Structure formats: C-alpha cells, structure tokens
Amino acid sequence: MRPGQGPEDQVGVAPPSPGVFASATGRARPRCDNVVLIWNVGTAEELYRLADQHPDLIYNVCWNRNGSLFCSACKDKSVRIIDPRRGTLVAEREKAHEGARPMRAIFLADGKVFTTGFSRMSERQLALWDPENLEEPMALQELDSSNGALLPFYDPDTGVIYVCGKGDSSIRYFEITAEPPYIHFLNTFTSKEPQRGMGRMPKRGLEVSKCEIARFYKLHERKCEPIIMTVPRKSDLFQDDLYPDTAGPEAALEAEEWVSGRDAEPLLISLREAYVPSKQRDLKVSRKNVLDSRAAAAPAPTRAGASTAASTTTPVSSPSGGSGSGGGSGGLAGAGAGASPGAGESGKLEEVTRELRLLRTLVKEQGERIARLEEQLGRMENGDV
C-alpha cells in the first residue's frame, strides 16, 4: 500500500525514533498487496519493503519498546514477530485465535505480546503470549459473545490495558502482571451509546493535577465524545504511583541511527512539572473583636454644642475599601450639626445601649463557637476523628 490510502490503513511509529514510520494495509481492496512499508519521515524515503511475510490482509502492526521488532495480526489468523531491518520472521503463531473475525496484537513493555480475537464459537478472547514460546498462551480469557472487534490500548507506565469493542458501549480495563493469572480484570466503564471507534490521548496530554489516568475520544455517528478516567485522591501532592516516568517527545535515535542497527529505549520524562497543586484551604480561627467592628459602624452619641467638624472627621471604612467623612458613603455626614439636648440625645443613648446589649450577646455566641471549633480541630490533629 501507499501512504494516504485511507483511514482504515494501520500505521505506527517506532518509540525511540519518531522519524521512522510503518504503514500496512488495514482493509481489503482490489489492489491490496499485503505489504508493510518502513519510511523515513524526514525525507519521505521508503527504507524497507516487507512483501513476503503476510499472505493475507494485515489487521494491525505494533512496535516493541526499543523499536527493534514489530508484531502483526493477519487475516490468516497468525500472529507474527518480524525484524524489519533484516526482513526476517522471528516468530510466528498460527491460529492464535481460531475465530474468523478480526484480531489485534500489541507488544507490551516487557516484550510479551497481547492479542484480542475470537474463538471458534465466536466468543471474544484475550490472550498473553511469550515470544520465546508461542506454542501455548501464558493466559487466555473469554469475555463474551458480542461480534465487535476488540481494540486494545496499552499504558506501558502502569501496565494497564484498556479494551474497547466496536459497537460496544463499554470500556474494560485489565492489569498485566508478572505473576499468574497475568491478566487481572480491574473495572468496566459503561455509557449509553455504542462506539463506532475509539482514540486515546497520549500520556503527556493528561490533567495530572486532577489525577487523570486516561482520556479516550469516543466516535459517534455525528460527534466525538471525550471520556475522562480519574483516580480520586484526597492528597494535594503529586501522585508518583499514578504517574511513573513516561516516554517524552525527544527521540532516543535518529532515523539514520536506527537504520544502522542501533536500538534504544525511549527517553523518559517526569510529569511532575505538569502538576499544579490546588489551593489548600486551611482552617483558620478568627479572633477578631466583633464588638469593635460593630461599634465603629454604629452612630455615636453627640453632646450638645458639639461642633460639626468634630463629628465629621472620624474615618469610617466603606464597602469599597476607602475611608471617607462628610459626604462619603460610610461617613457620618453632619452627625452633630443640628444636635440639641433633650429628647434627641436621650433617644440616641437608648439606641446605643440596646446595640451594646446585642453585641454582647453576639460576642458570647461567637466565643462559644470558636471554642467548639478549636476543640474539633484538636481532635482532628490528634487523629481522634
């Protein structure tokens, strides 16, 4: 096939060298040639043509961790491991899954091969293989009897594989370990509408501050829906267990170095720099004297004969943060200008006395509330709650 043949074509980039690109036929066509091509992206040059390894339609190809090999799944039900630079078949497993429907094969970080396919009875299967011995799978699990092909998405940092089925409305995820039974079911994400396709955001594009571990893009008939998976954590610290060092954007090898026969693991970076801690909300007990603030806002009694200047020069805080007198919004404009002894002064004195009683009651209630909060805080610090 040639690049640009269509969205059904399978493509992959060698992890250590983004300048090396593999393409393979992913859909039957009248002129389907079942060829895998290796390209130099920078020069648009064809480096290798692998035309003799696949007798039938190629479902997918996947590079290993250091870019020295790739595995492929073919319509003839075989899984192959191929050295692209030598053009040799390293290992092959015929009838990895005996069903006639499409299968997939991917390399894991430790060199194992993970496959999805169908049994002879059309039951969907997952399998784990050791490339050193492809006679029998290390693990084999049957999922269900749906007819949608299973698409695996692998996270090499955490060892988690997300499995999505075309036409399904769920995403299952499994953890791959070095101990039997090797494939451990974790959980299932379920939605209402079936998916027509699925894509995944690279690890470097996730929201580390929100403990996001995966983000998928679910293809509907007329829209693309993001599906975000997070792990709830109470701590505001960077979660090292969720975000081990991951493959960075820098190439470990140039295309020319890879062609010369060199292999290299991807250059890893830490996602700690992408972490932005949330604002910590500490419990603060305010010991501000409520009586002072309330008394400052209350009108003060004036004596007979008090001058206007004396009553208008006292600064009073306004809601806007300024202090004003006279015509200001918080000022006591002309508080003593027309004051006269007698009933006016007596009425203001009673008002202030009543206000003081209310303030004393409020201060008492606030004091009791502060005491309760301090007691609760002490229990929390001692671990009693």
Side-chain angles (χ1 to χ4, degrees):
M1 58 147 277
R2 298 292 185 270
Q5 197 166 5
E8 297 84 2
D9 302 327
Q10 300 297 324
V11 296
V13 178
S17 178
V20 178
F21 190 82
S23 61
T25 305
R27 178 177 173 182
R29 292 181 173 86
R31 300 181 61 184
C32 175
D33 49 11
N34 306 320
V35 172
V36 177
L37 299 177
I38 311 297
W39 303 85
N40 183 332
V41 177
T43 62
E45 175 189 1
E46 179 184 314
L47 300 176
Y48 302 100
R49 173 181 290 264
L50 308 174
D52 302 326
Q53 285 78 10
H54 300 91
D56 209 333
L57 173 70
I58 303 171
Y59 286 132
N60 84 300
V61 296
C62 179
W63 294 93
N64 68 349
R65 187 73 167 167
N66 63 8
S68 60
L69 305 170
F70 70 78
C71 65
S72 65
C74 185
K75 192 176 181 180
D76 65 353
K77 304 179 184 179
S78 294
V79 171
R80 296 175 174 85
I81 299 176
I82 298 172
D83 185 334
R85 289 173 292 201
R86 293 184 175 88
T88 57
L89 184 64
V90 177
E92 179 180 7
R93 167 61 183 178
E94 298 180 356
K95 294 185 178 180
H97 296 276
E98 297 185 352
R101 299 190 63 81
M103 54 187 292
R104 297 290 188 275
I106 60 173
F107 261 118
L108 304 185
D110 60 358
K112 302 293 191 300
V113 176
F114 181 86
T115 62
T116 64
F118 292 80
S119 69
R120 185 179 301 175
M121 303 302 294
S122 296
E123 294 178 324
R124 297 197 291 191
Q125 294 178 327
L126 310 176
L128 184 65
W129 305 84
D130 184 355
E132 301 296 330
N133 181 17
L134 294 178
E135 293 299 323
E136 294 293 334
M138 297 174 59
L140 179 65
Q141 290 188 12
E142 293 186 350
L143 294 184
D144 50 40
S145 57
S146 298
N147 58 5
L150 293 172
L151 308 177
F153 295 90
Y154 176 56
D155 182 357
D157 305 327
T158 59
V160 175
I161 292 182
Y162 302 87
V163 179
C164 315
K166 287 187 177 181
D168 291 357
S169 57
S170 62
I171 301 175
R172 297 181 178 92
Y173 36 109
F174 304 81
E175 183 180 9
I176 308 299
T177 62
E179 299 81 19
Y182 304 110
I183 303 176
H184 304 268
F185 172 76
L186 296 179
N187 209 338
T188 301
F189 168 82
T190 304
S191 57
K192 295 181 179 180
E193 299 182 19
Q195 55 229 16
R196 307 190 68 173
M198 192 72 69
R200 186 179 65 166
M201 168 69 74
K203 201 70 172 289
R204 300 190 303 273
L206 302 181
E207 289 284 348
V208 179
S209 305
K210 298 180 181 179
C211 295
E212 182 182 359
I213 60 172
R215 186 190 307 169
F216 293 93
Y217 292 93
K218 178 179 177 180
L219 181 62
H220 297 265
E221 183 177 358
R222 297 185 179 180
K223 66 178 180 179
C224 184
E225 174 192 3
I227 297 176
I228 298 174
M229 296 186 177
T230 60
V231 176
R233 294 287 174 89
K234 293 183 178 180
S235 174
D236 286 331
L237 302 177
F238 177 75
Q239 304 298 314
D240 299 87
D241 58 328
L242 297 182
Y243 303 105
D245 290 352
T246 189
E250 298 296 328
L253 295 174
E254 296 297 332
E256 292 76 13
E257 295 176 310
W258 181 83
V259 171
S260 68
R262 289 186 58 187
D263 298 327
E265 296 288 325
L267 298 180
L268 304 182
I269 61 172
S270 173
L271 298 179
R272 184 181 295 272
E273 295 182 358
Y275 177 74
V276 179
S278 59
K279 295 182 179 179
Q280 297 184 0
R281 298 181 179 180
D282 298 332
L283 179 61
K284 297 181 179 179
V285 180
S286 177
R287 294 182 177 276
K288 184 178 179 181
N289 191 336
V290 184
L291 182 60
D292 292 344
S293 60
R294 295 292 296 272
T302 58
R303 292 174 296 176
S307 64
T308 303
S311 60
T312 57
T313 56
T314 303
V316 179
S317 299
S318 66
S320 60
S323 61
S325 61
S329 61
L332 304 178
S340 59
E345 181 179 356
S346 176
K348 290 183 179 179
L349 182 60
E350 292 178 1
E351 181 180 353
V352 172
T353 303
R354 183 168 57 254
E355 185 72 16
L356 285 175
R357 286 198 297 267
L358 294 175
L359 288 176
R360 289 194 185 98
T361 304
L362 180 60
V363 168
K364 181 180 179 181
E365 293 175 353
Q366 294 296 330
E368 294 174 352
R369 183 171 180 269
I370 290 173
R372 290 196 302 269
L373 290 175
E374 289 178 337
E375 181 181 357
Q376 182 180 357
L377 179 60
R379 289 200 303 269
M380 292 174 63
E381 291 177 346
N382 295 331
D384 297 337
V385 179

